[in-house]
Amino acid sequence: MKKNILITLIRRILKALDGVKSFRDFIISIFVSFKSLQYLRFRSLYSIAINQTKFTGVDAMSIIIVIALLLGGTVIIQATRNFPKFGIEEFIGNLLVIIIARELGPLATAMIVVSRSGSAIAAEIATQKQQKEIHALELMGIDTTLYIVFPRILATVISIFSLIIIFDLVAFFGGYIISLSTVFIPLDIFFASLLDAFSINDFIITIIKSLLYGTLIPLICCYYGFKPNSDFEIPIYVSKAVVRTLLILFVINAIVSALFYF
Amino acid sequence: MKLEKNELRVAIFILIPAALLLVFVLLKLGYSIASSTIDIYLKVDNISSIKKGTQVKIKGYTVGRVVEIIPVYRPALHFLAVMRLQREIQLYENCTAVIQNQNIIGDPVIELRNPERIGIALQNGAVIEGIELVNLEVVLQDIHILLNTLSGTASVIRDISTESKGNLRNLLGNLSSTASTFSAMMSTSQHDIVETLKSFKKTAKTMDEISVELKKHPVKFLFK
């Protein structure tokens, strides 16, 4: 019994190590593929990046705005209910910055992008692979790693950066509107307290998180998109792509927060 | 055409958040898209002490001026003096504005004092109340009252001194009469003392004679 558990554990560790090695090779192949950048037309990469940014960023705005409003409102409802008990109702701005701008905003945005665009990227690439479209591109002499992965990384970095800012602003606005129903805070005072609560570190961390998330989400999803060897494996790898990307996002978020705020 | 529309959407999607972030960072770094001054309103009951151009100071350093005085009719007539101050000056809620004179003949100034416990920063358009009102007119009135009091005090002292002079003279007269009475008494008593001493001497002589008689004939003396 114990032997079986040990064997399973070792097998899993080896599998995970194998996966890490395979992912490392995939990243190296992307770097190597930059050599063939000169053979690609800028216009082709540009149009993919634009379409991907539209899908990942512009089209996700509506859902981001709704979620941000609800989340900002929820945080403020809790704050306005509980802060007066401690006599700290003037710290609503600080709470919004700490909860939304530092943690919830980037993480919620990344989760929406993973569940919406990450799964789409993995499914799209897997389908293209099964329909031999990738093979056809390779036959035409196009470096598929560069042609498929690079514009998606670029688009996701830009999209996540803009979406985080939109998410934060809408959450602040939603929070402010909700707070008006319970306690009147003049807009200029609210804005001033918000500005006071922000530090330059918060801006730097937002940029770092958007770079990290924007790079990791398409990278992991593309990696799993290239994996399926049959049509039946597509949903398995799409699911793996979403779950593992989410797991890595939480780990990265914890590491970045610990590095900057601990 | 479709791509161009997408490009425009993507461009707006990228540029607006980036611009908003830039504005936020600039505001955080202390840059201002507004002017370099802010207007703070000072609520005063009367405007005899301040006028357009009155200096506003913090710790003696000029930070702005009164640029306008606006009358407010409700609920009771009062005035709002618009103080245009440098934006860099940090003022906080519950700061006090003391309207005072620089010296006895100087122009009035508004001295702003931040509270000991720093709160929320004062924003453009905030209203603060002038808590003390000292103008030249009031100072002159105070001096007038002081001089009147001084004059009254001097007349009282003069009256006291005049009355004292008469009293002193009376005292000296009384003292002189007392001295003469004492002298007369002394001269009268001198004669009486001599007589008394003579009488004492006579009594002593009689007593002496009695004692001699007693020694000689004690029984006879007793039954005599």
Side-chain angles (χ1 to χ4, degrees), chain A residues 62-78 96 100 104 108 112 167 170-178:
Chain A
S62 52
I63 185 86
I64 286 280
I65 287 170
V66 172
I67 289 173
L69 269 173
L70 293 173
L71 216 56
T74 314
V75 171
I76 286 297
I77 286 168
Q78 289 295 337
L96 278 172
I100 290 171
L104 228 50
I112 292 163
F167 186 98
V170 173
F172 294 153
F173 180 71
Y176 176 69
I177 297 290
I178 296 287

PDB file of all heavy atoms in Angstrom, chain A residues 62-78 96 100 104 108 112 167 170-178:
ATOM      1  N   SER A  62     -17.083  44.798 -21.312  1.00  0.00           N
ATOM      2  CA  SER A  62     -18.426  44.816 -20.717  1.00  0.00           C
ATOM      3  C   SER A  62     -18.483  43.941 -19.460  1.00  0.00           C
ATOM      4  O   SER A  62     -18.968  44.380 -18.410  1.00  0.00           O
ATOM      5  CB  SER A  62     -19.455  44.354 -21.744  1.00  0.00           C
ATOM      6  OG  SER A  62     -19.053  43.125 -22.291  1.00  0.00           O
ATOM      7  N   ILE A  63     -17.937  42.741 -19.560  1.00  0.00           N
ATOM      8  CA  ILE A  63     -17.960  41.831 -18.403  1.00  0.00           C
ATOM      9  C   ILE A  63     -17.069  42.372 -17.271  1.00  0.00           C
ATOM     10  O   ILE A  63     -17.409  42.295 -16.087  1.00  0.00           O
ATOM     11  CB  ILE A  63     -17.575  40.377 -18.810  1.00  0.00           C
ATOM     12  CG1 ILE A  63     -17.709  39.390 -17.633  1.00  0.00           C
ATOM     13  CG2 ILE A  63     -16.179  40.260 -19.329  1.00  0.00           C
ATOM     14  CD1 ILE A  63     -19.075  38.848 -17.486  1.00  0.00           C
ATOM     15  N   ILE A  64     -15.936  42.974 -17.668  1.00  0.00           N
ATOM     16  CA  ILE A  64     -15.020  43.552 -16.668  1.00  0.00           C
ATOM     17  C   ILE A  64     -15.725  44.690 -15.921  1.00  0.00           C
ATOM     18  O   ILE A  64     -15.636  44.784 -14.688  1.00  0.00           O
ATOM     19  CB  ILE A  64     -13.732  44.083 -17.365  1.00  0.00           C
ATOM     20  CG1 ILE A  64     -12.824  42.931 -17.786  1.00  0.00           C
ATOM     21  CG2 ILE A  64     -12.985  45.100 -16.508  1.00  0.00           C
ATOM     22  CD1 ILE A  64     -11.975  42.334 -16.700  1.00  0.00           C
ATOM     23  N   ILE A  65     -16.438  45.547 -16.660  1.00  0.00           N
ATOM     24  CA  ILE A  65     -17.119  46.693 -16.034  1.00  0.00           C
ATOM     25  C   ILE A  65     -18.192  46.211 -15.053  1.00  0.00           C
ATOM     26  O   ILE A  65     -18.272  46.700 -13.924  1.00  0.00           O
ATOM     27  CB  ILE A  65     -17.717  47.627 -17.124  1.00  0.00           C
ATOM     28  CG1 ILE A  65     -16.577  48.382 -17.811  1.00  0.00           C
ATOM     29  CG2 ILE A  65     -18.735  48.598 -16.539  1.00  0.00           C
ATOM     30  CD1 ILE A  65     -16.971  49.153 -19.047  1.00  0.00           C
ATOM     31  N   VAL A  66     -18.975  45.223 -15.472  1.00  0.00           N
ATOM     32  CA  VAL A  66     -20.044  44.703 -14.594  1.00  0.00           C
ATOM     33  C   VAL A  66     -19.442  44.103 -13.321  1.00  0.00           C
ATOM     34  O   VAL A  66     -19.866  44.424 -12.200  1.00  0.00           O
ATOM     35  CB  VAL A  66     -20.900  43.653 -15.351  1.00  0.00           C
ATOM     36  CG1 VAL A  66     -21.875  42.964 -14.404  1.00  0.00           C
ATOM     37  CG2 VAL A  66     -21.665  44.311 -16.479  1.00  0.00           C
ATOM     38  N   ILE A  67     -18.411  43.272 -13.507  1.00  0.00           N
ATOM     39  CA  ILE A  67     -17.802  42.610 -12.338  1.00  0.00           C
ATOM     40  C   ILE A  67     -17.140  43.642 -11.420  1.00  0.00           C
ATOM     41  O   ILE A  67     -17.264  43.568 -10.192  1.00  0.00           O
ATOM     42  CB  ILE A  67     -16.815  41.508 -12.786  1.00  0.00           C
ATOM     43  CG1 ILE A  67     -17.618  40.345 -13.372  1.00  0.00           C
ATOM     44  CG2 ILE A  67     -15.954  41.026 -11.631  1.00  0.00           C
ATOM     45  CD1 ILE A  67     -16.793  39.250 -14.000  1.00  0.00           C
ATOM     46  N   ALA A  68     -16.475  44.629 -12.025  1.00  0.00           N
ATOM     47  CA  ALA A  68     -15.804  45.661 -11.219  1.00  0.00           C
ATOM     48  C   ALA A  68     -16.816  46.469 -10.415  1.00  0.00           C
ATOM     49  O   ALA A  68     -16.592  46.753  -9.228  1.00  0.00           O
ATOM     50  CB  ALA A  68     -14.999  46.587 -12.134  1.00  0.00           C
ATOM     51  N   LEU A  69     -17.928  46.835 -11.048  1.00  0.00           N
ATOM     52  CA  LEU A  69     -18.968  47.594 -10.337  1.00  0.00           C
ATOM     53  C   LEU A  69     -19.507  46.798  -9.155  1.00  0.00           C
ATOM     54  O   LEU A  69     -19.634  47.328  -8.041  1.00  0.00           O
ATOM     55  CB  LEU A  69     -20.121  47.918 -11.289  1.00  0.00           C
ATOM     56  CG  LEU A  69     -20.051  49.233 -12.054  1.00  0.00           C
ATOM     57  CD1 LEU A  69     -21.175  49.315 -13.053  1.00  0.00           C
ATOM     58  CD2 LEU A  69     -20.114  50.426 -11.119  1.00  0.00           C
ATOM     59  N   LEU A  70     -19.792  45.532  -9.414  1.00  0.00           N
ATOM     60  CA  LEU A  70     -20.337  44.686  -8.352  1.00  0.00           C
ATOM     61  C   LEU A  70     -19.330  44.474  -7.226  1.00  0.00           C
ATOM     62  O   LEU A  70     -19.664  44.556  -6.045  1.00  0.00           O
ATOM     63  CB  LEU A  70     -20.772  43.333  -8.929  1.00  0.00           C
ATOM     64  CG  LEU A  70     -21.960  43.385  -9.889  1.00  0.00           C
ATOM     65  CD1 LEU A  70     -22.196  42.039 -10.536  1.00  0.00           C
ATOM     66  CD2 LEU A  70     -23.219  43.832  -9.151  1.00  0.00           C
ATOM     67  N   LEU A  71     -18.078  44.256  -7.624  1.00  0.00           N
ATOM     68  CA  LEU A  71     -17.032  43.985  -6.630  1.00  0.00           C
ATOM     69  C   LEU A  71     -16.738  45.233  -5.786  1.00  0.00           C
ATOM     70  O   LEU A  71     -16.641  45.160  -4.550  1.00  0.00           O
ATOM     71  CB  LEU A  71     -15.769  43.523  -7.358  1.00  0.00           C
ATOM     72  CG  LEU A  71     -14.936  42.457  -6.676  1.00  0.00           C
ATOM     73  CD1 LEU A  71     -15.744  41.231  -6.365  1.00  0.00           C
ATOM     74  CD2 LEU A  71     -13.745  42.090  -7.533  1.00  0.00           C
ATOM     75  N   GLY A  72     -16.606  46.379  -6.474  1.00  0.00           N
ATOM     76  CA  GLY A  72     -16.362  47.652  -5.774  1.00  0.00           C
ATOM     77  C   GLY A  72     -17.511  47.968  -4.841  1.00  0.00           C
ATOM     78  O   GLY A  72     -17.309  48.360  -3.682  1.00  0.00           O
ATOM     79  N   GLY A  73     -18.734  47.757  -5.333  1.00  0.00           N
ATOM     80  CA  GLY A  73     -19.919  48.000  -4.511  1.00  0.00           C
ATOM     81  C   GLY A  73     -19.955  47.107  -3.294  1.00  0.00           C
ATOM     82  O   GLY A  73     -20.234  47.550  -2.182  1.00  0.00           O
ATOM     83  N   THR A  74     -19.638  45.822  -3.498  1.00  0.00           N
ATOM     84  CA  THR A  74     -19.653  44.864  -2.384  1.00  0.00           C
ATOM     85  C   THR A  74     -18.643  45.256  -1.307  1.00  0.00           C
ATOM     86  O   THR A  74     -18.961  45.241  -0.115  1.00  0.00           O
ATOM     87  CB  THR A  74     -19.313  43.440  -2.896  1.00  0.00           C
ATOM     88  OG1 THR A  74     -20.080  43.204  -4.069  1.00  0.00           O
ATOM     89  CG2 THR A  74     -19.601  42.396  -1.865  1.00  0.00           C
ATOM     90  N   VAL A  75     -17.451  45.605  -1.755  1.00  0.00           N
ATOM     91  CA  VAL A  75     -16.402  45.997  -0.789  1.00  0.00           C
ATOM     92  C   VAL A  75     -16.864  47.217   0.003  1.00  0.00           C
ATOM     93  O   VAL A  75     -16.724  47.269   1.238  1.00  0.00           O
ATOM     94  CB  VAL A  75     -15.068  46.293  -1.537  1.00  0.00           C
ATOM     95  CG1 VAL A  75     -14.053  46.914  -0.606  1.00  0.00           C
ATOM     96  CG2 VAL A  75     -14.510  45.011  -2.136  1.00  0.00           C
ATOM     97  N   ILE A  76     -17.453  48.193  -0.690  1.00  0.00           N
ATOM     98  CA  ILE A  76     -17.877  49.417  -0.016  1.00  0.00           C
ATOM     99  C   ILE A  76     -19.065  49.170   0.910  1.00  0.00           C
ATOM    100  O   ILE A  76     -19.135  49.732   2.002  1.00  0.00           O
ATOM    101  CB  ILE A  76     -18.200  50.507  -1.069  1.00  0.00           C
ATOM    102  CG1 ILE A  76     -16.898  51.043  -1.655  1.00  0.00           C
ATOM    103  CG2 ILE A  76     -19.007  51.649  -0.484  1.00  0.00           C
ATOM    104  CD1 ILE A  76     -15.986  51.744  -0.678  1.00  0.00           C
ATOM    105  N   ILE A  77     -19.982  48.280   0.488  1.00  0.00           N
ATOM    106  CA  ILE A  77     -21.132  47.974   1.373  1.00  0.00           C
ATOM    107  C   ILE A  77     -20.600  47.392   2.693  1.00  0.00           C
ATOM    108  O   ILE A  77     -21.003  47.818   3.774  1.00  0.00           O
ATOM    109  CB  ILE A  77     -22.103  46.978   0.685  1.00  0.00           C
ATOM    110  CG1 ILE A  77     -22.902  47.711  -0.403  1.00  0.00           C
ATOM    111  CG2 ILE A  77     -23.064  46.354   1.695  1.00  0.00           C
ATOM    112  CD1 ILE A  77     -23.679  46.795  -1.325  1.00  0.00           C
ATOM    113  N   GLN A  78     -19.667  46.471   2.578  1.00  0.00           N
ATOM    114  CA  GLN A  78     -19.087  45.877   3.791  1.00  0.00           C
ATOM    115  C   GLN A  78     -18.373  46.932   4.624  1.00  0.00           C
ATOM    116  O   GLN A  78     -18.476  46.944   5.855  1.00  0.00           O
ATOM    117  CB  GLN A  78     -18.100  44.754   3.421  1.00  0.00           C
ATOM    118  CG  GLN A  78     -18.767  43.512   2.874  1.00  0.00           C
ATOM    119  CD  GLN A  78     -19.644  42.820   3.890  1.00  0.00           C
ATOM    120  OE1 GLN A  78     -19.473  42.972   5.090  1.00  0.00           O
ATOM    121  NE2 GLN A  78     -20.634  42.075   3.419  1.00  0.00           N
ATOM    122  N   LEU A  96     -10.326  50.635  -0.615  1.00  0.00           N
ATOM    123  CA  LEU A  96     -10.483  50.370  -2.046  1.00  0.00           C
ATOM    124  C   LEU A  96      -9.128  50.153  -2.710  1.00  0.00           C
ATOM    125  O   LEU A  96      -8.962  49.265  -3.542  1.00  0.00           O
ATOM    126  CB  LEU A  96     -11.214  51.538  -2.718  1.00  0.00           C
ATOM    127  CG  LEU A  96     -12.733  51.532  -2.589  1.00  0.00           C
ATOM    128  CD1 LEU A  96     -13.310  52.814  -3.105  1.00  0.00           C
ATOM    129  CD2 LEU A  96     -13.332  50.367  -3.355  1.00  0.00           C
ATOM    130  N   ILE A 100      -8.853  46.479  -3.838  1.00  0.00           N
ATOM    131  CA  ILE A 100      -9.130  46.403  -5.280  1.00  0.00           C
ATOM    132  C   ILE A 100      -7.885  46.659  -6.120  1.00  0.00           C
ATOM    133  O   ILE A 100      -7.514  45.834  -6.947  1.00  0.00           O
ATOM    134  CB  ILE A 100     -10.277  47.362  -5.652  1.00  0.00           C
ATOM    135  CG1 ILE A 100     -11.568  46.795  -5.070  1.00  0.00           C
ATOM    136  CG2 ILE A 100     -10.406  47.516  -7.171  1.00  0.00           C
ATOM    137  CD1 ILE A 100     -12.749  47.671  -5.138  1.00  0.00           C
ATOM    138  N   LEU A 104      -7.310  42.575  -5.720  1.00  0.00           N
ATOM    139  CA  LEU A 104      -8.483  42.040  -6.408  1.00  0.00           C
ATOM    140  C   LEU A 104      -8.531  42.440  -7.879  1.00  0.00           C
ATOM    141  O   LEU A 104      -8.869  41.613  -8.739  1.00  0.00           O
ATOM    142  CB  LEU A 104      -9.747  42.531  -5.689  1.00  0.00           C
ATOM    143  CG  LEU A 104     -10.795  41.492  -5.366  1.00  0.00           C
ATOM    144  CD1 LEU A 104     -10.183  40.284  -4.680  1.00  0.00           C
ATOM    145  CD2 LEU A 104     -11.875  42.097  -4.495  1.00  0.00           C
ATOM    146  N   ALA A 108      -8.657  39.520 -10.427  1.00  0.00           N
ATOM    147  CA  ALA A 108      -9.974  39.285 -11.045  1.00  0.00           C
ATOM    148  C   ALA A 108      -9.885  39.473 -12.559  1.00  0.00           C
ATOM    149  O   ALA A 108     -10.465  38.686 -13.322  1.00  0.00           O
ATOM    150  CB  ALA A 108     -11.009  40.233 -10.441  1.00  0.00           C
ATOM    151  N   ILE A 112     -10.618  36.596 -15.367  1.00  0.00           N
ATOM    152  CA  ILE A 112     -11.589  36.748 -16.465  1.00  0.00           C
ATOM    153  C   ILE A 112     -10.903  36.486 -17.808  1.00  0.00           C
ATOM    154  O   ILE A 112     -11.446  35.798 -18.684  1.00  0.00           O
ATOM    155  CB  ILE A 112     -12.224  38.166 -16.428  1.00  0.00           C
ATOM    156  CG1 ILE A 112     -13.101  38.304 -15.184  1.00  0.00           C
ATOM    157  CG2 ILE A 112     -13.051  38.435 -17.690  1.00  0.00           C
ATOM    158  CD1 ILE A 112     -13.447  39.724 -14.822  1.00  0.00           C
ATOM    159  N   PHE A 167     -10.739  48.211 -14.755  1.00  0.00           N
ATOM    160  CA  PHE A 167     -11.357  47.512 -13.619  1.00  0.00           C
ATOM    161  C   PHE A 167     -11.249  48.366 -12.354  1.00  0.00           C
ATOM    162  O   PHE A 167     -12.231  48.580 -11.641  1.00  0.00           O
ATOM    163  CB  PHE A 167     -10.667  46.160 -13.403  1.00  0.00           C
ATOM    164  CG  PHE A 167     -11.309  45.295 -12.361  1.00  0.00           C
ATOM    165  CD1 PHE A 167     -12.178  44.281 -12.728  1.00  0.00           C
ATOM    166  CD2 PHE A 167     -11.054  45.485 -11.015  1.00  0.00           C
ATOM    167  CE1 PHE A 167     -12.787  43.480 -11.768  1.00  0.00           C
ATOM    168  CE2 PHE A 167     -11.653  44.704 -10.054  1.00  0.00           C
ATOM    169  CZ  PHE A 167     -12.524  43.691 -10.436  1.00  0.00           C
ATOM    170  N   VAL A 170     -13.421  51.616 -12.562  1.00  0.00           N
ATOM    171  CA  VAL A 170     -14.862  51.315 -12.459  1.00  0.00           C
ATOM    172  C   VAL A 170     -15.206  50.855 -11.038  1.00  0.00           C
ATOM    173  O   VAL A 170     -16.247  51.241 -10.486  1.00  0.00           O
ATOM    174  CB  VAL A 170     -15.277  50.256 -13.506  1.00  0.00           C
ATOM    175  CG1 VAL A 170     -16.721  49.818 -13.297  1.00  0.00           C
ATOM    176  CG2 VAL A 170     -15.114  50.811 -14.901  1.00  0.00           C
ATOM    177  N   ALA A 171     -14.328  50.067 -10.438  1.00  0.00           N
ATOM    178  CA  ALA A 171     -14.571  49.606  -9.059  1.00  0.00           C
ATOM    179  C   ALA A 171     -14.582  50.789  -8.100  1.00  0.00           C
ATOM    180  O   ALA A 171     -15.428  50.854  -7.206  1.00  0.00           O
ATOM    181  CB  ALA A 171     -13.516  48.589  -8.647  1.00  0.00           C
ATOM    182  N   PHE A 172     -13.656  51.738  -8.298  1.00  0.00           N
ATOM    183  CA  PHE A 172     -13.638  52.945  -7.451  1.00  0.00           C
ATOM    184  C   PHE A 172     -14.942  53.728  -7.635  1.00  0.00           C
ATOM    185  O   PHE A 172     -15.555  54.169  -6.668  1.00  0.00           O
ATOM    186  CB  PHE A 172     -12.463  53.859  -7.807  1.00  0.00           C
ATOM    187  CG  PHE A 172     -11.121  53.256  -7.515  1.00  0.00           C
ATOM    188  CD1 PHE A 172      -9.993  53.646  -8.232  1.00  0.00           C
ATOM    189  CD2 PHE A 172     -10.958  52.309  -6.520  1.00  0.00           C
ATOM    190  CE1 PHE A 172      -8.760  53.092  -7.975  1.00  0.00           C
ATOM    191  CE2 PHE A 172      -9.726  51.749  -6.247  1.00  0.00           C
ATOM    192  CZ  PHE A 172      -8.629  52.144  -6.978  1.00  0.00           C
ATOM    193  N   PHE A 173     -15.328  53.884  -8.911  1.00  0.00           N
ATOM    194  CA  PHE A 173     -16.534  54.650  -9.228  1.00  0.00           C
ATOM    195  C   PHE A 173     -17.766  53.951  -8.626  1.00  0.00           C
ATOM    196  O   PHE A 173     -18.599  54.595  -7.981  1.00  0.00           O
ATOM    197  CB  PHE A 173     -16.675  54.781 -10.748  1.00  0.00           C
ATOM    198  CG  PHE A 173     -17.890  55.545 -11.180  1.00  0.00           C
ATOM    199  CD1 PHE A 173     -17.980  56.916 -10.988  1.00  0.00           C
ATOM    200  CD2 PHE A 173     -18.956  54.897 -11.772  1.00  0.00           C
ATOM    201  CE1 PHE A 173     -19.103  57.618 -11.368  1.00  0.00           C
ATOM    202  CE2 PHE A 173     -20.093  55.591 -12.155  1.00  0.00           C
ATOM    203  CZ  PHE A 173     -20.171  56.952 -11.957  1.00  0.00           C
ATOM    204  N   GLY A 174     -17.839  52.634  -8.824  1.00  0.00           N
ATOM    205  CA  GLY A 174     -18.948  51.851  -8.272  1.00  0.00           C
ATOM    206  C   GLY A 174     -18.972  51.949  -6.762  1.00  0.00           C
ATOM    207  O   GLY A 174     -20.028  52.127  -6.156  1.00  0.00           O
ATOM    208  N   GLY A 175     -17.793  51.849  -6.172  1.00  0.00           N
ATOM    209  CA  GLY A 175     -17.684  51.964  -4.718  1.00  0.00           C
ATOM    210  C   GLY A 175     -18.161  53.312  -4.239  1.00  0.00           C
ATOM    211  O   GLY A 175     -18.878  53.415  -3.231  1.00  0.00           O
ATOM    212  N   TYR A 176     -17.786  54.341  -4.974  1.00  0.00           N
ATOM    213  CA  TYR A 176     -18.183  55.696  -4.584  1.00  0.00           C
ATOM    214  C   TYR A 176     -19.706  55.867  -4.671  1.00  0.00           C
ATOM    215  O   TYR A 176     -20.332  56.412  -3.754  1.00  0.00           O
ATOM    216  CB  TYR A 176     -17.485  56.727  -5.468  1.00  0.00           C
ATOM    217  CG  TYR A 176     -17.928  58.138  -5.162  1.00  0.00           C
ATOM    218  CD1 TYR A 176     -17.579  58.728  -3.955  1.00  0.00           C
ATOM    219  CD2 TYR A 176     -18.716  58.851  -6.054  1.00  0.00           C
ATOM    220  CE1 TYR A 176     -18.007  60.008  -3.645  1.00  0.00           C
ATOM    221  CE2 TYR A 176     -19.140  60.125  -5.752  1.00  0.00           C
ATOM    222  CZ  TYR A 176     -18.789  60.704  -4.550  1.00  0.00           C
ATOM    223  OH  TYR A 176     -19.222  61.958  -4.245  1.00  0.00           O
ATOM    224  N   ILE A 177     -20.283  55.375  -5.767  1.00  0.00           N
ATOM    225  CA  ILE A 177     -21.745  55.493  -5.959  1.00  0.00           C
ATOM    226  C   ILE A 177     -22.478  54.750  -4.828  1.00  0.00           C
ATOM    227  O   ILE A 177     -23.431  55.261  -4.250  1.00  0.00           O
ATOM    228  CB  ILE A 177     -22.169  54.905  -7.340  1.00  0.00           C
ATOM    229  CG1 ILE A 177     -21.527  55.710  -8.472  1.00  0.00           C
ATOM    230  CG2 ILE A 177     -23.691  54.842  -7.493  1.00  0.00           C
ATOM    231  CD1 ILE A 177     -22.035  57.099  -8.670  1.00  0.00           C
ATOM    232  N   ILE A 178     -21.997  53.560  -4.506  1.00  0.00           N
ATOM    233  CA  ILE A 178     -22.631  52.778  -3.433  1.00  0.00           C
ATOM    234  C   ILE A 178     -22.470  53.493  -2.095  1.00  0.00           C
ATOM    235  O   ILE A 178     -23.406  53.569  -1.300  1.00  0.00           O
ATOM    236  CB  ILE A 178     -22.004  51.360  -3.355  1.00  0.00           C
ATOM    237  CG1 ILE A 178     -22.291  50.578  -4.653  1.00  0.00           C
ATOM    238  CG2 ILE A 178     -22.505  50.590  -2.143  1.00  0.00           C
ATOM    239  CD1 ILE A 178     -23.703  50.094  -4.854  1.00  0.00           C
TER     240      ILE A 178
END
